[in-house]
């Protein structure tokens, strides 16, 4: 059962209060709620892709479930430094993000680095500080693992995302070109960004 779809909506008379947002690790029973937010945030439900929305959502959910189970059963595996966090507000999941350690695949990536992925916020709660809160949590997790940098990708035409990351201190490390099927000559740019974390005292 989709708890997001069935929870009581927040009354419009109650102003959103970012201080009341709780960020914590996702539980397995919340995976499909997280997959729902990601599906809608990354536009997997629009155009012709809308026909396959249930499959996209199922694939995202099962992929996340695999990582969560691998982390809990293999504490020394590659998933030991892997967390999916959710932003919880008034008994409702309003955002999600994943952060995990990765191994560099080429010269533009460090040999071992921490990477942010699947940052998504429910459409009703965007531009209210939820993404910032989730990213701040990623920074705390990264430092607890002993790393001093945080990395992510963003599409070059994602002006809203770029503006947020620039405000938070991320800098472009490299530009990657992705092949696109339509139009065939279009090669969208993807930016690899890095933030140097300030040591906690």
């Amino acid at each position: 059962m989709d708890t997001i779809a069935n929870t009581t909506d927040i009354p419009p008379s109650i102003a959103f209060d970012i201080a009341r947002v709780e960020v914590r690790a996702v539980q397995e029973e919340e995976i499909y709620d997280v997959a729902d937010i990601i599906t809608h945030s990354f536009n997997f439900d629009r155009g012709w892709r809308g026909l396959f929305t249930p499959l996209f959502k199922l694939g995202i959910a099962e992929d996340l479930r695999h990582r969560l189970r691998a982390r809990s059963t293999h504490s020394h595996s590659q998933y030991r430094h892997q967390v999916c966090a959710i932003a919880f507000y008034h008994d409702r999941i309003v955002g999600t993000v994943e952060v995990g350690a990765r191994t560099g695949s080429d010269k533009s990536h460090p040999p071992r680095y921490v990477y942010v992925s699947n940052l998504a916020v429910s459409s009703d709660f965007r531009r209210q500080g939820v993404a910032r809160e989730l990213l701040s949590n990623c920074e705390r997790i990264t430092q607890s693992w002993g790393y001093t940098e945080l990395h992510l990708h963003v599409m070059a035409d994602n002006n809203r995302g770029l503006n947020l990351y620039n405000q938070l201190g991320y800098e472009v490390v490299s530009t990657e070109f992705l092949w696109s099927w339509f139009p065939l000559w279009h090669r969208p740019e993807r930016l690899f960004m890095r933030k140097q974390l300030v040591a906690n005292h």
Side-chain angles (χ1 to χ4, degrees), residues 140-173:
R140 291 190 290 271
I141 292 172
T142 299
Q143 290 178 316
S144 74
W145 290 339
Y147 291 86
T148 59
E149 294 179 344
L150 198 53
H151 301 76
L152 55 80
H153 277 106
V154 62
M155 298 304 294
D157 60 356
N158 182 353
N159 294 324
R160 189 180 302 172
L162 265 175
N163 187 45
L164 171 63
Y165 300 137
N166 286 328
Q167 289 178 17
L168 293 177
Y170 285 84
E171 298 177 336
V172 175
V173 176

Side-chain angles (χ1 to χ4, degrees), residues 30 71 90 94-95 102 111 113 137 153 161 177-178 184 190:
E30 298 166 329
R71 183 173 187 266
H90 279 275
V94 299
R102 293 190 175 186
Y113 63 100
N137 186 69
H153 277 106
F177 295 93
L178 305 175
L184 292 177
R190 187 173 71 161

